[in-house]
């Protein structure tokens, strides 16, 4: 599972048939301190997350396609939770 920030929406006029009526989001991984890291990528979303939301993703193909109930769909990443808060306990240095 990967903690990420939604940085935008993806609009596609043509999609794979298994992706019809599924929202596509542009997401970017975030670190424990909330800073965005790496290159943005596309994830499918059936939970109605929006730009600025912190989300939890799965990037396992089987878990992603079953999370959005689209068995045998070509999905690499799916939103599985909209995160309200992260409590990060770190040991003192």
């Amino acid at each position: 599972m990967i903690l990420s920030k939604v940085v935008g929406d993806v609009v596609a006029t043509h999609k794979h048939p298994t992706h019809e009526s599924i929202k596509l989001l542009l997401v970017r991984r975030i670190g424990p301190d909330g800073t965005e890291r790496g290159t943005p990528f596309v994830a499918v979303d059936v939970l109605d997350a929006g730009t600025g939301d912190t989300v939890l993703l799965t990037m396992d193909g089987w878990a992603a396609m079953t999370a959005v109930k689209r068995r045998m769909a070509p999905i690499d990443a799916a939103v599985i939770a909209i995160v309200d808060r992260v409590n990060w306990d770190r040991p003192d240095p």
Side-chain angles (χ1 to χ4, degrees), residues 4-80:
S4 298
K5 179 80 68 176
V6 178
V7 295
D9 294 315
V10 176
V11 178
T13 56
H14 297 287
K15 299 183 196 179
H16 190 276
T18 59
H19 286 61
E20 291 301 323
S21 74
I22 292 183
K23 186 175 173 182
L24 302 175
L25 297 175
L26 192 61
V27 297
R28 193 167 179 199
R29 293 178 192 222
I30 58 173
D33 58 356
T35 59
E36 296 176 12
R37 300 176 178 193
T39 305
F41 57 95
V42 177
V44 298
D45 171 43
V46 295
L47 299 180
D48 204 26
T51 301
D53 284 343
T54 300
V55 294
L56 190 61
L57 303 175
T58 181
M59 291 189 65
D60 172 75
W62 180 258
M65 71 178 152
T66 56
V68 297
K69 296 180 174 64
R70 299 293 173 119
R71 194 169 177 170
M72 303 312 294
I75 297 172
D76 293 327
V79 174
I80 57 172

